[in-house]
């Protein structure tokens, strides 16, 4: 029980305590922890310089023992009423602060870990083939994305221009994407680096990964379809990837750990996990305020621990700030699909919004919000805040003629 | 003419003046410029703090006017004998210093710009299909690689382990790559950043790109073949990418600019270049001291200016330290192929070394060096130094069982 005021149903009870970077009163960005509708300004309370930094990176690099120590300390400060007089002056209303990118992204990797999403996309993009490629159930497929265009929640997303080729036309044309989409994902934030040439064993997941953010991997499906063979997605993804302002510590998700779906064939030994890193996290995708989907993370085929073990098994090193995302989260039901290309079956089946309009892909001005909730300790549930973004019209630069 | 001593045939006459980061005498790494067999310690000579930094990034971010100013100043210092008494004490023998990564890599993108390489790989990986995918002549295909594993020349490369599937076997197996390869490339280093949502027009190439490095994009072909459909190369490439210690300024390459090969179909307007960014640079690939290939950059289909325009046409922003590489450089002749998979036709045709041995792919202990030369002003030619690396045996971590 916290002495701080936490409204019923808040995303941020004391069992959560996610970290973010905020600014207020014209001062430089610094680290805070969410509690109810407030944010705790950590630097003056803990007197630790890492929390006066404009990103979480230095704290993330300090490792798991330190993460636990600080979490225990902050929990104590917010539960023992004796600390109230000292702490309360440093609780600022979240409504009064500006949130920033919580960490500086080192490398960004995006996986493809939902069997329902991969099956749907395979059917749409390669209708004449088996929807899952032969490697899909053997390894978590992933690729590197553009770290430099991972942006803070709320950053407007300009509709990208590029080459697309319509099926019946012989040549591609240049113009704004007509199939702008979202991907509702979770992202895993690496704190502790690893050495080049040394794989991270699957049971060391918790030593390296600090926490979880919401990710919206904006996607231009028409550009992606034209460019992605043979080297994978590039401009169809690299214009923007939004992340939520709050990083939920893995330590807040213990009660959300569930057995992942059965894997057949049995994975190779380096992908066999002694722990259960399925996560009972339900996302919610809202378009202009209307819920369009509720993707369940617990349906994901590959776990984040498997992704990390795979990503490093060749000796690739980790850096503090590495972000690896799950890929679109989709469940087996139509109402659980985490992208518009699946919800509208590549535009063939427009879906309804509660305001009476329909959508296939995003329109200019559309506002997307992705949220999530998970069970936590003490029988409460916690939330992830939101990752949001609105679509701005394409800017046709006269210096860049199509 | 420089007053400094430059041996005949040196890579580093005064027309070159590439930048690197070195350390000597136990002091911290700092910026230097190569001249002959020496390196000029810039910080004490120019009294500019950016050259006392351990990477080139701050200097790179200062922009083209500043790059030219410093280049002119250094040229003057090394040509006017009046400066000799002040400058000479800061010329250190290259043999006495340690070279480091010249810049901190922001995002790393690898293109696929050689028509001969792409055709060869298409024939090898997809023998039943047209070697070039339908998009290949319309856009420079590229993908993001792992920035965190771009390493300094000389860093040992540990043979990676991972999943591979042999053609006739039903399931993949775990083990060391048996098809470890090189890719001889040029890399282009971004100095001036760009704004999110604002494409960089093709004629602004020189404003953003500072210079050129040699790149060896080590590749595990067996892992790559199994993993790359549908999202592109991942672990087959992410274990190591080596870059040369010297960044050759674009300003040193004016005399190497040549008309690129004709492009058919005509590219879309955003890819039409008023300048000619073909580059008459010849690479040399040496294995254990024996030349195995001389890939000609002038044969590349897509120019670096086209790569940059394409990479940003969707509004993706640039950061100082972004590195984009050409992809393997191969010419039409067999002796011009920039990878072992092409030289040995995927292992089917072993090639001879001058020491009487043969190779298909890399063996443990093999030492690879890639060098390059280009015509420069005043009728001289300049070199790029070398990017080197030797193969260490796979490390089978007992905690990471196959």
């Amino acid at each position: 029980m916290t002495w701080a005021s936490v409204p019923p149903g808040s995303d941020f009870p004391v069992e959560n305590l996610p970290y973010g970077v905020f600014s207020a009163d014209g001062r430089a960005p610094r680290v805070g922890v969410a509690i109810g509708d407030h944010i705790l300004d950590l630097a003056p309370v803990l007197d630790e310089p890492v929390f006066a930094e404009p990103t979480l990176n230095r704290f993330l690099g300090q490792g798991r023992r330190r993460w636990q120590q600080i979490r225990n300390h902050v929990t104590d400060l917010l539960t023992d009423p004796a600390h109230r007089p000292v702490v309360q002056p440093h609780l600022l209303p979240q409504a009064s602060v500006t949130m920033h990118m919580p960490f500086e992204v080192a490398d960004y990797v995006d996986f493809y870990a939902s069997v329902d999403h991969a099956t749907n996309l395979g059917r749409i993009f390669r209708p004449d083939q088996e929807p899952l490629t032969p490697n899909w159930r053997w390894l978590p497929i992933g690729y590197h994305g553009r770290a430099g265009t991972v942006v803070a929640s709320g950053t407007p997303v300009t509709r990208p221009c590029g080459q697309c080729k319509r099926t019946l036309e012989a040549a591609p044309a240049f113009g704004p994407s007509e199939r702008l989409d979202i991907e509702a994902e979770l992202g895993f934030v690496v704190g502790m680096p690893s050495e080049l040439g040394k794989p991270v064993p699957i049971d060391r997941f918790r030593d390296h990964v600090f926490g979880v953010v919401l990710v919206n991997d904006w996607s231009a499906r028409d550009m992606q379809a034209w460019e992605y063979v043979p080297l994978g997605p590039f401009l169809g993804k690299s214009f923007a990837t939004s992340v939520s302002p709050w990083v939920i510590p893995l330590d807040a998700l213990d009660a959300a750990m569930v057995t992942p779906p059965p894997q057949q064939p049995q994975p190779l030994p380096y992908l066999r996990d002694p722990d259960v890193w399925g996560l009972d996290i339900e996302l919610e995708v809202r378009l202009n305020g209307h819920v369009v989907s509720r993707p369940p993370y617990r349906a994901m085929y590959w776990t984040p621990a498997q992704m990390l073990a795979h990503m490093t098994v060749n000796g690739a090193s980790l850096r503090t700030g590495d972000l690896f995302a799950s890929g679109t989260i989709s469940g087996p039901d139509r109402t659980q699909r985490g992208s518009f290309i699946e919800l509208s079956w590549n535009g063939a089946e427009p879906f309804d919004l509660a305001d009476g309009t329909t959508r296939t892909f995003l329109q200019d001005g559309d506002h997307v919000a992705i949220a999530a909730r998970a069970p936590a300790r003490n029988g409460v549930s916690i939330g992830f805040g939101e990752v949001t973004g609105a679509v701005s019209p394409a800017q046709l630069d006269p210096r860049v003629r199509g």
Side-chain angles (χ1 to χ4, degrees), chain A:
Chain A
M1 267 299 282
T2 176
W3 50 257
S5 139
V6 175
S10 168
D11 277 2
F12 309 120
V14 75
E15 289 79 8
N16 194 347
L17 301 183
Y19 293 80
V21 170
F22 73 100
S23 59
D25 308 326
R27 288 177 48 209
R30 55 199 191 272
V31 175
V33 160
I35 178 78
D37 291 339
H38 290 77
I39 183 165
L40 176 61
D41 189 357
L42 283 188
V45 172
L46 299 184
D47 195 25
E48 301 271 6
V50 293
F51 299 118
E53 302 249 331
T55 72
L56 282 166
N57 291 55
R58 262 190 63 206
F59 172 56
L60 298 184
Q62 292 181 326
R64 185 176 171 199
R65 201 174 293 252
R66 169 80 165 170
W67 306 335
Q68 290 174 324
Q69 199 180 64
I70 295 292
R71 180 171 171 83
N72 291 340
H73 191 171
V74 172
T75 302
D76 183 50
L77 290 175
L78 290 169
T79 46
D80 185 343
H83 297 299
R84 184 169 183 163
V86 175
V87 173
Q88 185 127 34
H90 301 290
L91 285 175
L92 313 177
Q94 285 175 26
S96 73
V97 308
T98 303
M99 299 303 296
H100 303 274
M101 264 301 290
F103 59 101
E104 188 183 354
V105 181
D107 268 301
Y108 166 48
V109 166
D110 200 18
F111 283 92
Y112 195 50
S114 158
V115 68
D116 295 298
H117 172 71
T119 303
N120 288 336
L121 270 274
R123 288 198 176 119
I124 289 168
F125 276 138
R126 298 176 293 277
D128 50 337
Q129 296 169 35
E130 278 293 309
L132 292 181
T133 49
N135 53 9
W136 200 92
R137 288 178 187 274
W138 287 103
L139 52 82
I141 292 175
Y143 69 101
H144 286 90
R146 191 163 185 83
T149 53
V150 177
V151 297
S153 176
T155 305
V157 173
T158 304
R159 182 180 296 275
C161 291
Q163 289 192 30
C164 311
K165 198 184 81 62
R166 293 204 177 83
T167 312
L168 298 176
E169 291 178 3
F174 182 90
S177 171
E178 294 174 353
R179 300 190 165 220
L180 185 59
D181 198 356
I182 62 156
E183 298 201 325
E185 312 192 5
L186 290 185
F188 300 87
V189 183
V190 171
M192 182 55 74
S194 70
E195 202 181 322
L196 188 67
K198 304 279 185 195
V200 175
I202 194 163
D203 62 359
R204 305 304 288 274
F205 175 68
R206 249 190 207 281
D207 291 339
H208 292 274
V209 172
F210 171 77
V212 187
V213 290
L214 294 166
V215 173
N216 185 349
D217 184 32
W218 306 88
S219 300
R221 301 300 183 187
D222 36 9
M223 289 161 54
Q224 182 184 352
W226 172 232
E227 75 181 356
Y228 89 104
V229 177
L231 300 187
F234 186 40
L235 299 189
K237 303 278 195 169
S238 65
F239 53 97
T241 306
S242 304
V243 299
S244 59
W246 298 110
V247 185
I248 314 297
L250 281 189
D251 285 329
L253 293 169
D254 283 347
M257 290 174 69
V258 292
T259 304
Q263 298 184 325
Q264 193 55 246
Q266 187 187 32
L268 294 176
Y270 79 94
L271 292 172
R272 291 181 203 156
D273 195 349
D275 304 313
V276 289
W277 278 109
L279 290 167
D280 185 16
I281 299 170
E282 189 171 85
L283 282 74
E284 184 171 277
V285 180
R286 295 184 217 114
L287 182 67
N288 301 332
H290 309 295
V291 175
V292 297
S293 169
R294 290 201 169 86
Y297 198 84
R298 67 186 163 276
M300 298 298 271
Y301 191 87
W302 295 106
T303 71
Q306 290 177 317
M307 296 177 209
L308 186 74
H310 184 63
M311 184 163 68
T312 61
V313 75
N314 67 345
S317 46
L318 300 173
R319 290 182 295 171
T320 298
D322 280 348
L323 170 68
F324 62 98
S326 58
T328 308
I329 303 164
S330 289
D333 292 349
R334 193 177 166 142
T335 59
Q336 296 178 321
R337 296 173 181 170
S339 68
F340 284 23
I341 192 173
E342 292 168 271
L343 286 164
S344 73
W345 209 253
N346 204 22
E349 304 170 14
F351 57 96
D352 299 322
L353 299 187
D355 62 6
T357 65
T358 64
R359 284 295 182 289
T360 51
F361 292 94
L362 288 164
Q363 298 181 359
D364 288 348
D366 274 351
H367 180 274
V368 177
I370 303 171
R373 289 196 78 81
R377 287 182 190 166
N378 305 327
V380 305
S381 85
I382 61 174
F384 283 60
E386 284 187 344
V387 58
T388 67
V391 179
S392 304
Q395 297 195 349
L396 286 162
D397 188 326
R399 299 175 311 164
V400 183
R401 300 153 305 138

